[in-house]
Amino acid sequence: MKEKETSPQLRPPLKWAGGKRWLVKHLRPLLIGHEQRRLVEPFCGGLAVTIGLLPRNALLNDINPHLINFYSCLKGGFTITLPMKYEKRFYYECRKRFNRLIQSGKQQSAEAAALFYYLNRTGFNGLCRFNGSGGFNVPFGLYNKIQYVKDFGTYQKVFSNWDVTAIDFESLKLKADDFVYADPPYDVPFTQYSKDGFHWEDQVRLAQWLAKHPGPVILSNQATPKILELYRSFGFELKLLTAPRMISCNGDRTPAEEVLAIRNL
C-alpha cells in the first residue's frame, strides 16, 4: 500500500456525514509494513480514509451508484460546466432534475455526477439520503458561504490506480493479501443512505464475510453492545476510541464511542 506522491492539501471532494478523517491517525500505524498491499474499502463513502492514506492501489466500492458515478468521472478527468449557486429555489430545481435523470435511467451520466456534487455541497449537512423510490430527498442546507469546485483535474492522477465499483460487498473479488478497511453504516436508527437500507442482517453478513478473509482486516463502527458482541464472537481484537460526533440532527456534539475490530494484524 505504498503511498502516492501528491499534494498534502488534497481533500475529499465531497462533504460526508459520518466521515472518518479523524480516524486516519489511528489507522496509519496499523498499516505500517503493509504498504505493498491493495487497500479495499467496501463502503468507501466520502473517501476520507483512502485520501488520508493515499495508497498506490485501491479498490473503492459503495452500494450508492451516484457516489461511484461521481468518482468514475473524477478518475477520467472531470470539469463541471453547469452553473452552481447557493440559492434555495435553484437547489430544488437541481434536485428535481437529478431525480428525473434517475427515473429516466441517465444516472450514470456526467450531468448526473455534476448535479450530485452540487446537491452534496449545498444540501443539509452533507447528507446523502434517498426515499423508498430511490429519489434524492435531502433538504436545502444553511451555510454562510460555499466554495464550489469546477475543475477536479488534481484528482485524476490520484485515482489512476484506484478501481471503483458499486456492488454489494459480498460480490467484491478480493485477493488473499488485500488489506480490507470496512466502515459500514452504523448500527443505529438512520434515515436510508441507499434505497434498500442496511439492516442488522447485513451487519451479521458483513462480519461473516470479513472473518473469512485471510488478509488484514479493520472494521470501524459505533461501539454498540450488539456490534461488540458480534465481532468478539468472530475472534476480532477490539479497540475502543472516542469519536467526535460530526453530524447530529439535534445539535448534540458529545463524544461517541467507536470500535475498531481488527483481525490478521
Side-chain angles (χ1 to χ4, degrees):
M1 205 181 311
K2 185 178 179 182
E3 291 186 359
K4 293 188 176 187
E5 296 179 6
T6 190
S7 168
Q9 302 301 316
L10 192 69
R11 296 170 64 88
L14 301 170
K15 291 171 62 71
W16 208 251
K20 292 299 190 295
R21 189 183 305 173
W22 67 272
L23 195 55
V24 172
K25 65 181 179 182
H26 299 283
L27 294 174
R28 193 181 298 279
L30 298 175
L31 272 62
I32 294 175
H34 300 280
E35 291 81 6
Q36 299 305 316
R37 297 179 188 267
R38 181 177 68 163
L39 177 65
V40 177
E41 276 211 65
F43 310 90
C44 66
L47 290 188
V49 166
T50 302
I51 286 182
L53 297 173
L54 287 176
R56 177 69 63 182
N57 297 290
L59 173 57
L60 306 174
N61 178 74
D62 202 282
I63 200 64
N64 184 335
H66 315 292
L67 178 68
I68 296 303
N69 179 51
F70 175 71
Y71 292 152
S72 296
C73 287
L74 295 192
K75 184 176 173 69
F78 191 45
T79 300
I80 294 178
T81 57
L82 64 81
M84 293 184 287
K85 53 186 177 181
Y86 180 58
E87 181 182 292
K88 188 172 184 178
R89 181 177 177 179
F90 183 73
Y91 173 83
Y92 285 109
E93 288 175 353
C94 287
R95 194 179 80 171
K96 183 181 294 185
R97 173 61 181 166
F98 180 66
N99 286 331
R100 284 176 179 166
L101 290 176
I102 295 174
Q103 293 168 0
S104 62
K106 298 178 181 178
Q107 66 269 28
Q108 300 302 310
S109 62
E111 181 187 4
L115 286 167
F116 182 78
Y117 170 77
Y118 168 74
L119 295 173
N120 169 266
R121 299 299 298 180
T122 316
F124 179 75
N125 271 357
L127 292 178
C128 186
R129 188 181 68 188
F130 296 85
N131 59 31
S133 300
F136 187 82
N137 64 357
V138 176
F140 182 71
L142 299 178
Y143 304 101
N144 292 326
K145 185 180 180 181
I146 299 178
Q147 289 187 334
Y148 297 107
V149 174
K150 290 199 168 188
D151 184 356
F152 292 88
T154 55
Y155 292 89
Q156 186 174 11
K157 183 178 180 181
V158 175
F159 273 73
S160 60
N161 291 325
W162 295 356
D163 296 316
V164 294
T165 58
I167 57 178
D168 182 80
F169 62 85
E170 279 194 293
S171 297
L172 290 172
K173 304 298 183 184
L174 296 183
K175 301 175 183 177
D177 64 345
D178 281 339
F179 196 117
V180 179
Y181 166 67
D183 181 46
Y186 282 159
D187 174 39
V188 293
F190 185 74
T191 306
Q192 290 193 199
Y193 162 64
S194 64
K195 180 180 177 181
D196 298 322
F198 198 84
H199 309 288
W200 178 250
E201 293 77 13
D202 298 305
Q203 298 282 2
V204 174
R205 189 165 59 93
L206 173 63
Q208 294 170 335
W209 181 73
L210 292 173
K212 294 176 183 176
H213 182 55
V217 173
I218 301 177
L219 168 125
S220 58
N221 207 323
Q222 188 160 329
T224 65
K226 289 171 68 177
I227 287 292
L228 296 178
E229 180 182 356
L230 176 64
Y231 281 90
R232 193 177 287 119
S233 72
F234 282 103
F236 283 75
E237 174 191 351
L238 304 184
K239 181 178 181 181
L240 297 178
L241 301 171
T242 298
R245 199 182 287 276
M246 302 304 293
I247 296 292
S248 175
C249 61
N250 61 7
D252 180 11
R253 299 285 175 168
T254 57
E257 201 167 41
E258 189 100 355
V259 63
L260 291 183
I262 302 167
R263 188 177 173 90
N264 301 329
L265 273 178

